[in-house]
Amino acid sequence: MEASEPRRRRAAIVCVDDEPAVLAAVARDLRRQFGERYRIVRATSGPEALGALKELVARGEQVALLVADQRMPGMAGTEYLVEARKLVPDAKRVLLTAYADTEAAIQAINEVDLDYYLLKPWDPPEEQLYPVVEDLLTTWEAGAALESGGVRVIGHRFSRDSHDLRDFLARNRVPMRWLDVERDSEARELLAVAAVEDGRLPVALLEDGTVLERPTVLELAERLGVSAAPASDHYDLAIVGGGPAGLAAAVYGASEGLRTVMVEREAPGGQAGTSSRIENYLGFPTGLSGSDLARRATDQARRLGAELLTVQDAVSLRVEGAGRILQLSGGGTLSANCVLVASGVSYNHLTAEGFDTFTGKGIYYGAALSEARSCSEQHVVIIGGANSAGQAAVHFSGYARQVTMLVRGDSLAKSMSHYLIEQIAAIPNIDVRTGAQAIAAGGDDHLRTLRIRDADGEHEEDVDATFVFIGAAPRTDWLDGVVGRDERGFILAGADAKAAGFPLKRDPYTLETTVPGVFVAGDVRARSIKRVASAVGEGSMAVSLIHEYLAE
């Protein structure tokens, strides 16, 4: 270990390899590129590296990255990473392998939640090493910043208003610390200093010293600069919705010279942004979280010149000559030559007894990843049997004592990807119950029980939190009477739009709606394939079609 340094110390990159020459080369290359930002700690065996990690943790130091060789005597790289993960669960993990070991490396992706594997030698490091490590460190830094906390939110865990603030900050990747007034003494001390009464919760304490009592999401967004007004009066392309389809369109539209603005009602990423892990997205063999995908796409869109407006929603659309006018929820308007509707879908709400009463108080729609740590050693119920439900079950199993999945159908195979079914089957604290449904929720100030009906009849179970994924409805009410929709509210495009009364002599473009110049992409389109990759494809394809439309 290196000699002690003055606080605050740089986070560590810990490298372990039993071959001195390889270890020296790894440390040299990493120090050359990242030495100013990180300390490079070396070890010649798995046990020695674990000892170094224990010392770092005991001193309160951060560990950003673990780099381990696979072939080491006594303790293989994968064995070491399994143990290291228990000490530093948030550190990124990289395995060094020879070509002959790639099979072991791929297997380790599932066994140790590996982030990447590198083939030796990595020459030149500028191409084979540095881009990979930089990407991993950037992702780690984003997570570390969120944990360090800029905004402090004080409230009751089972408060709908508190949950809404926490979820908004988490999904928009705003650094935040959550303080439960019933569990954290610091919360009560801060309330006393700020002279805030318990009835005025939740409270947001900003870094500039501002105290916001019972703020709405919009008020908090405005104070933090998350919400913004349009910078221009007119755009080539206005995108409604910031999910994968909308973000893809923002990236391609801006990169191809269109003045592009994207409007998102909650946070970039849309419904996909709440996914704990997307493992079948092309090009990411270790998978990535929905929030990581959203962060990468958002940064990319902004770098290329797209304008992103969050905590804004489109409430109406009207046609004025060649212009398409969007009315925004904040009171303003957007004018554009073309509009792309990528507003996505929202989870259906259960109408069973008690579910509305406890929404935000133990019952949540979607993954609500901000609640995961609060579910430590508790009983969590997931209602639904599609991929989103499966991803949530896997994620919460890492925190909860027990995760129970209630699936109406007789099998997961009807609606869930095979890889997820295998993962769930291998996790001991996930209990899948097919042919089961929740028919009532009970409690006092928050959820405490669910009444469940299954093949054995009805019975009541104690639960701590429930997350609901039971199908989705399109967000298209704001287009009623303007754009053609099917009986379920999904937007008609292409041949369907022509059959519904497209007004021009030419055929509509593949993703064009019944209103010329208004296009649709992603889950909100009728007949769409509900997958992240297809939404990204449609978003990028829409921009090509929009270019054709503008050239008419």
Side-chain angles (χ1 to χ4, degrees):
M1 296 287 291
E2 299 177 5
S4 60
E5 301 171 16
R7 300 288 277 183
R8 171 178 179 91
R9 303 188 80 180
R10 293 163 291 165
I13 297 175
V14 179
C15 309
V16 54
D17 198 305
D18 65 306
E19 295 184 34
V22 176
L23 181 59
V26 174
R28 179 199 65 221
D29 287 344
L30 290 175
R31 186 174 288 111
R32 180 185 302 161
Q33 183 72 10
F34 306 105
E36 291 185 3
R37 294 157 52 195
Y38 294 90
R39 293 188 300 126
I40 311 302
V41 177
R42 298 190 291 180
T44 57
S45 70
E48 182 184 339
L50 290 174
L53 288 175
K54 290 175 182 176
E55 185 176 340
L56 288 166
V57 172
R59 286 159 38 188
E61 304 292 343
Q62 291 181 304
V63 178
L65 179 67
L66 304 174
V67 181
D69 184 53
Q70 170 61 7
R71 291 192 178 185
M72 295 187 294
M75 178 178 277
T78 49
E79 294 177 58
Y80 156 69
L81 290 175
V82 167
E83 297 303 315
R85 186 183 180 189
K86 299 174 184 177
L87 297 170
V88 284
D90 296 326
K92 297 299 178 182
R93 291 170 285 279
V94 173
L95 195 66
L96 299 178
T97 66
Y99 182 78
D101 296 326
T102 53
E103 191 65 34
I106 291 172
Q107 187 176 351
I109 290 174
N110 292 328
E111 291 179 354
V112 301
D113 199 14
L114 194 67
D115 292 293
Y116 211 89
Y117 68 88
L118 285 169
L119 294 177
K120 299 183 292 185
W122 51 85
D123 188 50
E126 290 78 11
E127 296 179 11
Q128 304 296 330
L129 178 67
Y130 296 157
V132 170
V133 174
E134 182 63 51
D135 185 61
L136 291 174
L137 291 176
T138 298
T139 302
W140 178 85
E141 287 169 0
L146 294 178
E147 292 296 319
S148 64
V151 178
R152 288 170 292 181
V153 176
I154 303 172
H156 299 277
R157 178 191 169 191
F158 295 109
S159 156
R160 188 176 304 191
D161 292 339
S162 294
H163 165 74
D164 289 346
L165 293 183
R166 293 169 63 197
D167 199 51
F168 161 75
L169 293 170
R171 294 192 60 194
N172 282 276
R173 303 190 70 83
V174 176
M176 175 203 69
R177 283 182 61 211
W178 160 249
L179 297 169
D180 189 334
V181 71
E182 296 171 351
R183 296 184 179 183
D184 300 310
S185 58
E186 182 184 352
R188 294 186 289 275
E189 292 168 3
L190 287 171
L191 290 177
V193 170
V196 176
E197 297 179 2
D198 189 67
R200 301 295 297 170
L201 298 180
V203 168
L205 306 177
L206 309 189
E207 288 185 295
D208 63 4
T210 302
V211 178
L212 301 179
E213 300 180 20
R214 301 180 67 180
T216 65
V217 167
L218 181 58
E219 288 170 345
L220 185 58
E222 290 174 344
R223 293 302 298 263
L224 294 173
V226 175
S227 178
S232 176
D233 294 329
H234 187 77
Y235 296 86
D236 296 314
L237 171 60
I239 303 164
V240 179
L247 285 168
V251 167
Y252 280 89
S255 69
E256 295 178 15
L258 298 178
R259 289 172 297 166
T260 302
V261 62
M262 186 187 83
V263 180
E264 165 54 41
R265 66 193 293 267
E266 292 176 349
Q271 193 179 93
T274 67
S275 294
S276 55
R277 201 76 176 168
I278 303 169
E279 299 203 46
N280 57 355
Y281 190 63
L282 184 66
F284 290 86
T286 62
L288 78 167
S289 69
S291 63
D292 277 344
L293 177 63
R295 176 184 59 81
R296 293 166 188 263
T298 299
D299 291 346
Q300 190 176 17
R302 284 183 170 138
R303 180 178 64 82
L304 292 168
E307 192 177 328
L308 274 58
L309 308 179
T310 55
V311 203
Q312 291 267 22
D313 201 9
V315 296
S316 67
L317 169 69
R318 68 179 187 273
V319 177
E320 292 185 1
R324 307 291 178 262
I325 312 299
L326 289 170
Q327 182 72 38
L328 302 180
S329 56
T333 59
L334 280 179
S335 171
N337 294 325
C338 289
V339 169
L340 175 65
V341 180
S343 49
V345 296
S346 56
Y347 287 111
N348 292 329
H349 280 218
L350 270 173
T351 57
E353 178 186 346
F355 269 73
D356 184 58
T357 301
F358 297 110
T359 296
K361 301 177 180 180
I363 293 177
Y364 309 96
Y365 289 87
L369 300 182
S370 59
E371 298 292 335
R373 294 194 178 185
S374 299
C375 295
S376 177
E377 295 304 313
Q378 295 186 343
H379 181 198
V380 171
V381 172
I382 306 291
I383 299 177
N387 276 9
S388 295
Q391 290 164 350
V394 171
H395 180 71
F396 281 99
S397 70
Y399 298 90
R401 179 186 75 258
Q402 178 186 348
V403 176
T404 300
M405 293 190 69
L406 301 181
V407 183
R408 272 196 172 192
D410 58 7
S411 169
L412 288 175
K414 294 181 178 179
S415 54
M416 188 179 293
S417 295
H418 179 68
Y419 82 90
L420 263 177
I421 296 173
E422 288 192 325
Q423 279 189 23
I424 289 170
I427 298 175
N429 63 333
I430 298 181
D431 174 27
V432 179
R433 303 183 192 175
T434 55
Q437 58 182 304
I439 59 174
D444 38 46
D445 60 333
H446 64 275
L447 176 71
R448 293 190 181 275
T449 63
L450 283 183
R451 176 159 288 279
I452 298 170
R453 178 187 296 147
D454 55 25
D456 297 325
E458 295 183 9
H459 59 278
E460 196 166 82
E461 287 193 28
D462 293 336
V463 300
D464 297 292
T466 296
F467 300 86
V468 184
F469 306 80
I470 55 163
R475 293 172 170 170
T476 59
D477 289 347
W478 61 283
L479 293 169
D480 186 32
V482 179
V483 172
R485 302 180 295 163
D486 68 12
E487 66 280 0
R488 295 183 299 161
F490 291 92
I491 297 175
L492 303 174
D496 291 331
K498 180 180 180 180
F502 187 71
L504 303 184
K505 292 182 179 180
R506 66 164 174 85
D507 288 342
Y509 294 107
T510 305
L511 298 178
E512 194 172 19
T513 70
T514 55
V515 177
V518 177
F519 294 76
V520 62
D523 290 358
V524 74
R525 182 179 66 85
R527 303 178 189 269
S528 66
I529 299 173
K530 307 299 189 285
R531 288 289 185 268
V532 173
S534 60
V536 169
E538 288 189 12
S540 56
M541 176 180 162
V543 172
S544 177
L545 300 176
I546 286 166
H547 272 293
E548 292 187 41
Y549 172 82
L550 293 174
E552 290 181 355

